[in-house]
Amino acid sequence: MSRAAQALVRPEGSPAELTFLGATGTVTGSRFLLEVQGRRILIECGLYQEREFAARNWDGFPVDPRSIDAVVLTHAHLDHSGYLPRLVQAGFAGPVWCTPATASLAEILWLDAARIAVEDARFKKRRHEREGRRGPHPELPLYTVADARRAIGLLRTADYRQRWSVAPGVRAEFRDAGHILGSATLTLRVRARGGERSITFSGDLGRTSEPPLHDPEPLAAPDYVVVESTYGDRGHAPADVLGELEAVVNSTVAAGGNVVIPAFAVGRAQDVLLRRKTLIDSHRIPRLMVFVDSPMATSVTALYRQYRSLLDPELAAAFNGRRSPFEFPGLTYVRSVEASKAINRIAGSTVIIAGAGMCNGGRIKHHLVTNIGRPDSTILFVGYQAQGTLGRRIVDGDNPVRILGEQRDVRARIARIDGFSAHADRDDLLRWILASERRPKQLFVVHGEAAATESLVAALRERGLDAAAPEFGERVALE
Ligand SMILES: [Zn+2]
């Protein structure tokens, strides 16, 4: 252990302390370090996904990973879990706690992230050699498939409402967060100087009354809360997602083109499929050929059957014997590259759902190349497009756009449906906190852009609560 890391370990008898190592002033890189009775527990182990913070993925971890006793993950999204293989590469070898569905998803996501990292490093190396320069980071992958496999080997699971011991004197409990399959809020009860203290981490909180998942379970009356604020300054406008999807599909079919939908493999791809099924069943759109052209989305969709008890009852009941709401006439899950290419040769209208959700990689690029120059086709965006991504440039109306090394004219219709969201809005967040049987002593607002976080802090203070937005690296005592 390095001297700096050693100096951070608090002796027995100190109060528990929490250090904010990420998701401060940004929505990615969630990492919170709890130190209690000489033990270290890392809550969340997220990747930074914005370009401006990417260096933090490469910097050494602020404490020696070998000095961390355990990691606990609220859900599998990479901004909460995707740094774990890197932590393992740097020496962490303790247990990684999560729900069973999160473990299944993390396995798929980490292996995919590792393969992409290896491919990207190879591509970057070639480019640098060609251009005779070097970038700020080594031309190495952040982690490899072998690192991801070692991380998978550390996964340990606990069900919702089960109480287990993370370390001596630290009891933990997950509750359903309703955000993605397996997502949880996490409450830790720690024995520290002055008696027991409890702290709840919201992870990402889902929406209320929005299938296909359960509503978030109530807050467990903790002393402290670390709460996300992705939509801390906004409400979700009431949206007629089905009506919008119906209009896009029908107008594209009338024109004779394809509907190309870039979608995230976890959650969004399945949401789109379920809405399509509803529209087909009620004869609002024709029975077109639909392709899910993403091996990852296909693997994730299969998990919905395995974990159907986590779905809202109506959807869970739709899995009956061999029946599945994710199987309907005309729907094909595409695995091989040859089959993926063959889609482009089909005459007549089709719907193509492919990753990556922001068009910055994956098979979607090939479908864009085929369709973006066709005035009869529609590129339909159903998710957030981050700054600097190809998806964002298309949504912003750039024309031409560079795809796979060539400038392409945009002649296709560009459409957006904003009503899909897996995040609680401001009212949902406030309701979840205020419904607690006991008022939390203090709230730490994280995981938002500055304006969203500040707005939620202000709203909580107006309601008489002690809330603050911690800074990167800030350490607080849980007295
Ligand atoms: Zn998430």
Side-chain angles (χ1 to χ4, degrees):
M1 195 192 306
S2 72
R3 187 171 298 179
Q6 236 162 11
L8 279 172
V9 176
R10 290 299 190 259
E12 305 240 346
S14 317
E17 290 185 303
L18 184 67
T19 308
F20 295 88
L21 298 176
T24 51
T26 168
V27 291
T28 70
S30 281
R31 304 166 184 179
F32 312 108
L33 184 70
L34 183 73
E35 290 170 280
V36 55
Q37 307 287 348
R39 307 274 172 178
R40 284 186 164 153
I41 296 154
L42 184 66
I43 297 97
E44 314 281 47
C45 193
L47 271 184
Y48 281 96
Q49 292 172 313
E50 293 99 334
R51 197 176 276 264
E52 60 174 309
F53 297 113
R56 289 190 193 161
N57 294 329
W58 292 93
D59 294 344
F61 200 71
V63 300
D64 185 340
R66 283 168 296 186
S67 72
I68 297 170
D69 293 278
V71 175
V72 191
L73 305 174
T74 63
H75 65 291
H77 273 152
L78 291 178
D79 60 322
H80 293 255
S81 83
Y83 186 77
L84 211 273
R86 177 77 173 183
L87 200 73
V88 170
Q89 187 190 74
F92 172 73
V96 179
W97 290 96
C98 60
T99 67
T102 295
S104 297
L105 283 171
E107 183 169 343
I108 296 170
L109 291 177
W110 293 346
L111 288 172
D112 184 71
R115 284 186 199 112
I116 290 173
V118 170
E119 235 167 74
D120 281 356
R122 204 177 296 144
F123 181 77
K124 195 157 80 175
K125 189 161 194 285
R126 273 206 305 268
R127 198 182 62 208
H128 287 173
E129 277 166 5
R130 213 171 42 233
E131 296 169 1
R133 66 184 181 92
R134 301 189 71 85
H137 309 302
E139 294 141 343
L140 293 170
L142 191 61
Y143 47 79
T144 63
V145 170
D147 296 323
R149 289 201 193 287
R150 278 200 291 154
I152 291 162
L154 301 177
L155 289 166
R156 304 283 180 275
T157 62
D159 288 315
Y160 296 131
R161 298 273 178 169
Q162 180 190 333
R163 292 190 180 192
W164 84 100
S165 173
V166 182
V170 184
R171 308 271 302 154
E173 181 190 353
F174 286 132
R175 293 189 177 188
D176 197 339
H179 167 62
I180 60 167
L181 209 60
S183 65
T185 64
L186 168 69
T187 300
L188 296 177
R189 295 179 176 85
V190 300
R191 277 200 314 271
R193 194 183 67 195
E196 191 184 81
R197 298 282 177 270
S198 55
I199 179 165
T200 295
F201 298 82
S202 72
D204 285 351
L205 208 62
R207 298 175 73 171
T208 306
S209 313
E210 278 283 322
L213 300 172
H214 294 153
D215 285 353
E217 285 191 75
L219 182 58
D223 298 306
Y224 298 92
V225 182
V226 177
V227 63
E228 65 125 328
S229 58
T230 315
Y231 288 93
D233 57 347
R234 274 163 292 168
H236 295 307
D240 177 16
V241 172
L242 270 184
E244 289 178 49
L245 188 59
E246 176 186 12
V248 168
V249 171
N250 285 333
S251 58
T252 309
V253 172
N258 299 314
V259 183
V260 178
I261 308 177
F264 294 101
V266 181
R268 200 54 45 87
Q270 293 79 24
D271 284 356
V272 171
L273 283 175
L274 291 173
R275 312 261 183 173
R276 285 200 52 78
K277 184 175 184 328
T278 306
L279 289 173
I280 291 171
D281 288 350
S282 51
H283 307 289
R284 289 167 67 176
I285 56 173
R287 284 186 183 277
L288 300 176
M289 279 194 273
V290 178
F291 297 96
V292 176
D293 191 10
S294 156
M296 189 161 56
T298 302
S299 303
V300 171
T301 304
L303 292 179
Y304 277 60
R305 172 183 286 280
Q306 187 181 342
Y307 294 108
R308 57 189 177 278
S309 64
L310 306 181
L311 306 175
D312 91 313
E314 201 182 320
L315 182 59
F319 289 95
N320 190 352
R322 291 184 51 155
R323 267 188 31 224
S324 158
F326 295 105
E327 299 285 348
F328 47 86
L331 172 61
T332 306
Y333 290 91
V334 181
R335 284 277 187 186
S336 74
V337 174
E338 294 69 43
S340 169
K341 286 180 180 158
I343 299 171
N344 296 329
R345 296 195 289 271
I346 294 171
S349 294
T350 62
V351 175
I352 302 159
I353 301 167
M358 298 188 199
C359 308
N360 44 345
R363 293 183 180 176
I364 188 69
K365 288 196 169 186
H366 296 278
H367 298 298
L368 289 174
V369 166
T370 309
N371 286 282
I372 207 159
R374 286 179 58 173
D376 54 351
S377 285
T378 302
I379 316 298
L380 173 61
F381 289 92
V382 293
Y384 176 73
Q385 303 298 311
Q387 210 107 42
T389 59
L390 173 59
R392 179 64 165 260
R393 286 196 289 280
I394 297 172
V395 166
D396 283 349
D398 282 14
N399 191 3
V401 287
R402 193 179 176 83
I403 309 173
L404 294 178
E406 268 181 53
Q407 296 289 350
R408 323 250 172 194
D409 290 329
V410 180
R411 294 199 196 91
R413 180 158 66 112
I414 308 303
R416 267 172 77 169
I417 299 179
D418 289 328
F420 290 97
S421 174
H423 277 276
D425 69 4
R426 176 191 174 87
D427 287 345
D428 291 330
L429 290 167
L430 287 172
R431 221 176 295 123
W432 183 71
I433 293 162
L434 295 169
S436 178
E437 282 165 32
R438 195 153 56 103
R439 289 169 80 80
K441 257 200 229 177
Q442 210 178 344
L443 297 113
F444 307 106
V445 184
V446 298
H447 197 290
E449 289 178 3
T453 300
E454 287 309 326
S455 172
L456 188 62
V457 167
L460 289 165
R461 286 183 182 162
E462 271 167 32
R463 288 157 180 83
L465 289 158
D466 182 355
E471 308 220 333
F472 180 63
E474 192 170 329
R475 172 195 290 265
V476 295
L478 308 180
E479 298 276 10

